[in-house]
Amino acid sequence: MKGRIGALLDLLLPRFCPLCGRKLFVREEFLCADCIKGLPLSYFWLEEHNPMEERFNLRIQQLLDKEPAGSWECTSGAMALFFYRGEYKKLTQELKYKANLELGEWLGEALGRKLLLCGNYADVDIIIPVPLHIIRYARRGYNQSAIIAKGIVKAFTQELCMQKNLLCRNRRTSSQVHIAPEHKSANVAGAFKVKGKFPVKPRHILLVDDVFTSGSTLAECQHCLRKALAAQFGRYEAARIRISAATLAFVGDM
């Protein structure tokens, strides 16, 4: 019966693949089979270390270099579902600019399943989407990172505590897309703050965003969270809490 209803709906309201434009069959959810087959997966979940993780930790270390010696360890995990290239750039753009929220959640769930394949993320207990400034959120009506995080939560077998309002953006920044790589860190410096207290002492925090380019935004978020954790739980305990990052896409070449 469900298949017949789906076929009828597709006849009356045909759906199309956002990448190639082909009409979707009943059993194809958001992308056609050919576009799914061609998705440039990162396979970072099969690697002990990956380029995204190395870039993320480099940005974190650059921030730590400005802090007193011995502040805390900088090693953090990072993973993306696919490479940001070719027609597949449209996937994040569909979510970010065209409000295709169902696609974003579906991709987030796929990312969550890959995170679970890697044992490094099995103990995640708090998930925090990178926040938008209040003005940008009001204009867009949603936070694309929160939509992705919602999909990740669906994929995880353990219960995750979603904290959408704990981390906030306290000043409006220019879009990182239009800024040269050497100026990205300065653009987001001091742009985030933690509002309130952590509800519990976390074991492993997962930061979520849509695209990882230079890593400056996520590193700034990570640094802000580290300071808040140290203030609430003490520097020693804060150093034992892991903070990792996950995005849908990774820009491989800088």
Side-chain angles (χ1 to χ4, degrees), residues 26 30 89 122 131 154 163 206 211:
V26 175
F30 299 100
K89 293 179 181 179
K154 287 176 64 177
Q163 291 290 315
L206 183 66
V211 181

Side-chain angles (χ1 to χ4, degrees), residues 163-188:
Q163 291 290 315
K164 294 191 289 186
N165 301 313
L166 182 65
L167 184 66
C168 67
R169 199 179 287 248
N170 58 16
R171 67 176 176 84
R172 194 176 180 188
T173 58
S174 301
S175 173
Q176 293 284 77
V177 175
H178 307 296
I179 295 178
E182 62 271 20
H183 300 309
K184 289 180 184 289
S185 293
N187 182 52
V188 295

Side-chain angles (χ1 to χ4, degrees), residues 208-245:
V208 178
D209 207 357
D210 54 350
V211 181
F212 187 105
T213 307
S214 69
S216 298
T217 298
L218 283 162
E220 188 69 31
C221 290
Q222 194 263 13
H223 197 64
C224 179
L225 288 170
R226 282 282 182 212
K227 288 185 174 182
L229 288 165
Q232 185 173 343
F233 302 109
R235 192 169 293 274
Y236 174 76
E237 289 298 321
R240 300 173 62 188
I241 298 169
R242 297 176 63 202
I243 303 177
S244 298

Side-chain angles (χ1 to χ4, degrees), residues 10-11 13-17 20-25 28 32:
D10 280 347
L11 182 63
L13 298 170
R15 300 171 300 119
F16 300 92
C17 178
C20 68
R22 179 176 71 71
K23 184 179 177 180
L24 296 176
F25 295 119
E28 294 175 332
C32 71

Side-chain angles (χ1 to χ4, degrees), residues 110-124:
L111 172 59
R113 289 194 295 269
K114 299 305 183 186
L115 288 166
L116 285 175
L117 288 177
C118 178
N120 292 337
Y121 300 89
D123 61 343
V124 169

Side-chain angles (χ1 to χ4, degrees), residues 122-134:
D123 61 343
V124 169
D125 50 356
I126 289 183
I127 185 166
I128 300 178
V130 172
L132 294 177
H133 188 269
I134 189 170

